[in-house]
């Protein structure tokens, strides 16, 4: 029998997808963003998806007739009520308290909470360690907690992406931190590269692409065979259309280099005035990563961060999804990109914000095995 979970701050569904690859069923998901929730609904048709602000949710009676084994999710680290002298680094002033509220009310066997690794070094204005506060808050509601810093590249994901995962068990359940730590796995004897992940996708130029492609190349490694499973075609593989000036800039950037390495004529220009150099350069702006190495972290801003290692354009949504380990059957809804004044999350932002499904799968399998080992 599958174990039931609920997914909070569910985004486009990376965490749920990974857990569902193991012995779990997502019975409920909550996501505030409309387009991300539409993506979630399109791919998790048997899950009840609620599209509201989590702080407005109060009806916990909907879970009373269904045993909830776990609560998973990644509350954003930014505070949501920071008026007056409230400390934005104190997790008690952030959406973290909503995750705690759900765990307190539902009392699942376990929870998994994901966040950025910087959390481990953060302190409040009172010099308290943020991580100690997080553990303490869960201790107060009847949970023993451990946490691990994990790199997705060690779990079959073609990307160096380090995140922190808090795993908690109800206090009456046997607790062994060493046995709870997930073990890595690879599709072979080395970490996967960008080439391993996307070399079989159609090579399209700036402004090219279509909503669906048939597979025109054979899968040439185990990862590509795995990611194509249960998929009839390639979706969301449309390239952004760049200006000639941007394409000429891209042509000068070699693998391992970025915007900071270009000559003056190709430097970033001020918005609205292409004759004036902005003077702003960041090492990950227009970075062309190495084809034969794992990708750097695919963040929500990846559309401006990376250039395809071989082509003179940014990544498509499908290429980024491959680097995050989303299966090819997974379809992304909403606009591919958005302007700064638009509030919903674009496909690119949804993908960059997600927990890589294969990393979530490894955590889920390990929790399932742990609970079985102690006959739960």
């Amino acid at each position: 029998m599958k174990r039931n979970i609920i997914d909070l701050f569910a985004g486009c569904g990376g965490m749920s997808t990974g857990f569902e690859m193991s012995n779990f069923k997502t019975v409920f998901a909550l996501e505030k963003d409309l387009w991300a929730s539409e993506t979630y609904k399109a791919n998790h048709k048997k899950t009840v998806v609620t599209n509201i602000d989590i702080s407005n949710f109060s009806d916990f009676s909907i879970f009373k007739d269904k045993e909830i084994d776990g609560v998973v999710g990644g509350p954003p680290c930014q505070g949501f009520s920071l008026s007056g002298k409230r400390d934005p680094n104190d997790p008690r002033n952030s959406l973290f308290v909503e995750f705690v509220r759900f765990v307190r009310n539902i009392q699942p066997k376990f929870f998994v909470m994901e966040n950025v690794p910087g959390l481990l070094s953060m302190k409040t204005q009172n010099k308290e360690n943020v991580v100690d506060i997080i553990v303490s808050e869960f201790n107060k509601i009847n949970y023993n907690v451990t946490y691990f810093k994990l790199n997705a590249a060690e779990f079959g994901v073609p990307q160096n992406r380090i995140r922190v995962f808090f795993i908690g068990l109800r206090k009456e359940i046997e607790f062994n931190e060493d046995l709870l730590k997930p073990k890595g796995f690879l599709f072979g004897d080395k970490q996967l590269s960008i080439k391993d992940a996307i070399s079989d996708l159609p090579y399209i130029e700036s402004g090219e692409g279509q909503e669906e492609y048939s597979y025109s190349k054979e899968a040439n490694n185990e990862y590509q065979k795995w990611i194509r499973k249960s998929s009839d075609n390639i979706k969301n593989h449309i390239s952004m259309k760049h200006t000639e000036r941007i394409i000429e800039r891209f042509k000068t950037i070699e693998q391992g280099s970025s915007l900071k390495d270009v000559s003056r004529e190709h430097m970033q220009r001020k918005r609205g005035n292409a004759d004036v150099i902005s003077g702003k350069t960041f090492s990950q702006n227009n970075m062309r990563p190495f084809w034969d190495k794992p990708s750097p972290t695919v963040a929500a801003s990846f559309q401006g961060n990376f250039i395809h290692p071989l082509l003179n354009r940014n990544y498509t949504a499908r290429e980024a999804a491959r680097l995050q380990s989303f299966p090819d059957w997974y379809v992304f809804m909403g606009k591919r990109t958005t302007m700064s004044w638009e509030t919903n999350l674009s496909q690119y932002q949804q993908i960059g914000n997600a927990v890589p499904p294969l990393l979530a799968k490894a955590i889920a399998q390990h929790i399932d095995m742990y609970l079985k080992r102690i006959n739960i």
Side-chain angles (χ1 to χ4, degrees):
M1 177 162 322
K2 289 185 178 293
R3 302 181 190 273
N4 292 330
I5 63 167
I6 66 173
D7 190 351
L8 307 177
F9 310 96
C12 65
M15 186 90 88
S16 290
T17 301
F19 268 77
E20 289 167 10
M21 290 175 184
S22 185
N23 188 36
F24 293 88
K25 176 184 178 183
T26 314
V27 296
F28 176 86
L30 190 150
E31 171 51 45
K32 178 182 178 181
D33 183 79
L34 177 61
W35 292 350
S37 65
E38 288 177 350
T39 295
Y40 194 106
K41 290 174 184 176
N43 296 282
H44 302 266
K45 298 185 186 302
K46 295 182 179 180
T47 301
V48 175
V49 183
T50 300
N51 173 222
I52 61 168
D53 187 314
I54 191 170
S55 59
N56 294 329
F57 182 90
S58 59
D59 187 13
F60 289 96
S61 66
I62 66 172
F63 304 118
K64 68 179 181 180
D65 295 327
K66 198 175 287 287
E67 183 176 8
I68 304 299
D69 297 282
V71 172
V72 305
C77 52
Q78 302 96 326
F80 74 99
S81 179
L82 304 177
S83 58
K85 296 182 179 179
R86 302 188 75 177
D87 181 358
N89 286 345
D90 191 327
R92 290 165 296 203
N93 295 332
S94 77
L95 288 167
F96 160 74
V97 299
E98 298 296 333
F99 190 94
V100 173
R101 182 169 69 96
F102 266 75
V103 174
R104 183 181 69 244
N105 278 281
I106 294 171
Q107 289 289 302
K109 297 181 180 71
F110 73 90
F111 70 81
V112 177
M113 189 181 79
E114 177 257 5
N115 219 296
V116 294
L119 199 71
L120 299 182
S121 58
M122 285 177 62
K123 293 182 182 293
T124 68
Q125 291 173 358
N126 295 326
K127 307 302 181 186
E128 295 175 277
N129 292 322
V130 165
V131 68
D132 292 340
I133 293 174
I134 290 172
V135 171
S136 173
E137 291 300 305
F138 283 121
N139 287 162
K140 290 176 186 176
I141 62 167
N142 195 39
Y143 285 83
N144 289 314
V145 185
T146 186
Y147 54 90
F148 308 105
K149 192 162 65 170
L150 304 176
N151 185 351
E154 297 173 2
F155 293 84
V157 182
Q159 177 191 168
N160 278 310
R161 183 189 190 94
I162 298 173
R163 290 294 184 267
V164 124
F165 290 86
F166 293 82
I167 299 177
L169 295 179
R170 269 202 328 249
K171 285 186 176 178
E172 63 268 26
I173 297 173
E174 181 182 329
F175 185 72
N176 185 315
E177 293 185 60
D178 291 334
L179 292 179
L180 277 171
K181 185 171 184 179
K183 304 295 190 297
F185 69 93
L186 300 172
F187 283 88
D189 58 357
K190 61 181 179 62
Q191 293 180 353
L192 294 176
S193 67
I194 297 173
K195 178 182 178 181
D196 292 328
I198 68 173
S199 61
D200 63 317
L201 294 175
Y203 283 22
I204 58 176
E205 300 293 345
S206 167
E208 296 180 349
Q210 54 198 50
E211 286 299 336
E212 293 187 1
Y213 279 96
S214 58
Y215 290 107
S216 58
K217 297 179 183 177
E218 293 294 320
N220 53 42
N221 58 52
E222 289 304 310
Y223 182 76
Q224 291 175 9
K225 290 176 184 176
W226 171 81
I227 214 157
R228 290 180 176 208
K229 192 175 181 181
S230 301
S231 176
D232 297 325
N233 51 36
I234 301 162
K235 306 170 183 69
N236 303 117
H237 190 48
I238 299 176
S239 172
M240 293 174 62
K241 185 173 179 58
H242 303 297
T243 64
E244 283 302 316
R245 182 174 61 81
I246 297 296
I247 293 172
E248 289 304 310
R249 175 201 293 164
F250 288 173
K251 288 178 180 178
T252 71
I253 299 175
E254 299 178 350
Q255 290 183 25
S257 299
S258 68
L259 180 60
K260 70 178 178 60
D261 302 303
V262 303
S263 62
R264 183 175 178 82
E265 67 178 299
H266 295 297
M267 286 181 177
Q268 186 103 353
R269 305 289 161 154
K270 276 195 173 181
R271 182 170 293 182
N273 189 347
D275 295 327
V276 179
I277 293 172
S278 72
K280 295 179 181 178
T281 56
F282 301 96
S283 61
Q284 270 209 338
N285 273 14
N286 297 164
M287 177 187 179
R288 194 187 293 274
F290 291 102
W291 185 231
D292 59 355
K293 293 183 179 181
S295 171
T297 301
V298 174
S301 58
F302 76 83
Q303 71 185 69
N305 287 0
F306 301 123
I307 308 170
H308 189 287
L310 305 182
L311 303 171
N312 295 312
R313 59 165 175 79
N314 296 134
Y315 285 131
T316 67
R318 179 52 50 192
E319 287 164 342
R322 284 278 190 100
L323 297 178
Q324 280 276 61
S325 75
F326 278 98
D328 280 359
W329 55 259
Y330 214 90
V331 60
F332 296 91
M333 312 300 286
K335 292 184 180 179
R336 293 195 305 279
T337 61
T338 53
M339 304 304 289
S340 59
W341 59 83
E342 294 182 280
T343 56
N344 289 322
L345 295 174
S346 69
Q347 293 175 13
Y348 283 44
Q349 291 168 321
Q350 293 172 41
I351 294 166
N353 282 337
V355 175
L358 276 180
L359 177 54
K361 177 188 177 184
I363 294 168
Q365 285 181 327
H366 205 70
I367 289 172
D368 184 46
M369 288 189 298
Y370 181 94
L371 295 176
K372 285 176 179 174
R373 186 184 293 117
I374 57 176
N375 296 316
I376 291 179

